[in-house]
Amino acid sequence: MKSLISLVVVVISLFLSFFANAGISSLEIYYKLGLKGHVNYNEFADAYIAYRADPKSDIMSVVDNTKPETENRLFIIDMKNQKVLYGMNLPRKKSDSSLELYHKLDLKDKLNYRVFAKAYDSFKSHSKIDILTVIDYTKPSSEKRLFVLDMKIHKLVFNTWVAHGTNSGGKFAENFSNVKSSRQTSLGVFITAETYYGKNGYSLKLDGKTPGVNDKARERYIVIHGADYASKPFLDKYGVLGTSWGCPALPVDLAKNVINTIKGGSVIYAHG
């Protein structure tokens, strides 16, 4: 009888413990555990949601993928006693090859693999966030040749039209330049920077990272912006997009969403 009573007490304690924790927000627990400055909150919140969905024990693990391998990235937490047991280094999984990612992103028949592979190399070297944009200027302006890829969740976020510079060509962009007032498109690797409102509305500044090819992007005012001549109605009417003064102009109805997705340190790889 005593053993049965003890068992009931243990079950009730676990039951109350779980529901006590259930009433506490992930942010409250995050601060209670003293994790600020040690674990990224979003990484903790994701782990906490998964733990709440299937709490098989009082132990929860958190892997902070925003930290380098040289720092503690794996944290083991006693949720019942609200205590971090220990943190430790955790090697990252070997990165997927460009070909594996190409297939995961379902880019076959949309974007040439070799173009993607070059873009992916640039992404690994320069990107601050998990977004990669590829522009394939070997395609005509009548085709959707801009691709915005979420490299973390392996998703094609946007695939749309993009205009090239007036002096780069008509249907195809054939001439490229890094010279001010050339009104030609630049190729190479760009890093997205800050947004602003200008004569073309909401726009995104770019920093060229390929020496001698696009490193005068700021000086040339090469930015991403929306334009009527880069939209489907214009294409339907004329069979090709209009042209810019060198900027990669996007459809007006998509420009803001694309800019907000890629701004702040992502890579744009322009191929031609």
Side-chain angles (χ1 to χ4, degrees):
M1 186 68 178
K2 287 184 178 180
S3 60
L4 179 59
I5 292 172
S6 298
L7 179 60
V8 171
V9 169
V10 169
V11 170
I12 291 173
S13 297
L14 290 171
F15 184 85
L16 292 175
S17 174
F18 169 72
F19 281 99
N21 283 337
I24 303 175
S25 72
S26 59
L27 187 60
E28 289 175 306
I29 293 179
Y30 177 76
Y31 281 109
K32 199 171 183 179
L33 288 165
L35 292 175
K36 186 178 180 182
H38 300 285
V39 180
N40 177 280
Y41 170 67
N42 289 329
E43 298 282 356
F44 172 79
D46 287 345
Y48 182 62
I49 291 170
Y51 167 80
R52 284 276 306 278
D54 188 20
K56 293 179 180 177
S57 75
D58 294 322
I59 303 300
M60 182 180 91
S61 61
V62 182
V63 178
D64 188 346
N65 287 307
T66 67
K67 302 177 75 172
E69 289 183 22
T70 52
E71 297 181 18
N72 288 343
R73 299 196 306 123
L74 172 63
F75 296 82
I76 307 300
I77 300 168
D78 182 337
M79 295 299 288
K80 181 179 180 180
N81 296 306
Q82 302 286 289
K83 180 181 179 181
V84 178
L85 300 179
Y86 57 86
M88 61 185 290
N89 293 346
L90 181 68
R92 295 183 186 276
K93 291 194 298 184
K94 184 180 178 181
S95 297
D96 289 330
S97 71
S98 58
L99 186 58
E100 288 173 319
L101 286 170
Y102 180 75
H103 288 297
K104 283 183 178 179
L105 288 159
D106 194 24
L107 294 175
K108 188 179 180 182
D109 301 324
K110 299 185 184 85
L111 177 65
N112 181 279
Y113 166 66
R114 290 184 179 181
V115 176
F116 172 76
K118 291 178 181 179
Y120 181 53
D121 285 342
S122 301
F123 168 80
K124 290 188 293 183
S125 300
H126 296 283
S127 192
K128 295 179 182 177
I129 59 178
D130 293 317
I131 298 295
L132 169 62
T133 302
V134 186
I135 304 174
D136 186 358
Y137 286 118
T138 66
K139 293 175 177 285
S141 68
S142 55
E143 292 186 19
K144 294 181 177 181
R145 53 185 180 172
L146 180 139
F147 304 80
V148 178
L149 309 169
D150 187 319
M151 302 299 283
K152 186 175 183 180
I153 62 174
H154 306 144
K155 181 181 179 182
L156 175 58
V157 184
F158 296 102
N159 179 204
T160 190
W161 298 279
V162 58
H164 55 252
T166 296
N167 291 331
S168 284
K171 187 173 184 178
F172 287 88
E174 299 174 310
N175 304 299
F176 305 95
S177 177
N178 193 34
V179 178
K180 192 174 182 180
S181 300
S182 67
R183 297 188 183 179
Q184 290 184 4
T185 291
S186 292
L187 300 178
V189 179
F190 299 85
I191 302 297
T192 62
E194 69 274 21
T195 60
Y196 70 100
Y197 282 91
K199 65 179 182 179
N200 292 305
Y202 190 54
S203 305
L204 175 64
K205 292 184 179 181
L206 305 175
D207 291 312
K209 292 298 180 180
T210 308
V213 176
N214 66 11
D215 53 3
K216 295 191 186 316
R218 283 264 181 176
E219 184 181 331
R220 295 182 60 206
Y221 301 103
I222 300 301
V223 302
I224 290 182
H225 62 78
D228 290 333
Y229 57 76
S231 300
K232 193 173 187 303
F234 190 99
L235 178 62
D236 289 341
K237 185 174 181 179
Y238 297 102
V240 294
L241 298 185
T243 54
S244 69
W245 284 14
C247 296
L250 305 179
V252 173
D253 58 337
L254 279 180
K256 186 173 183 179
N257 287 337
V258 172
I259 288 171
N260 284 338
T261 299
I262 69 176
K263 67 182 180 180
S266 75
V267 163
I268 297 175
Y269 176 73
H271 176 81

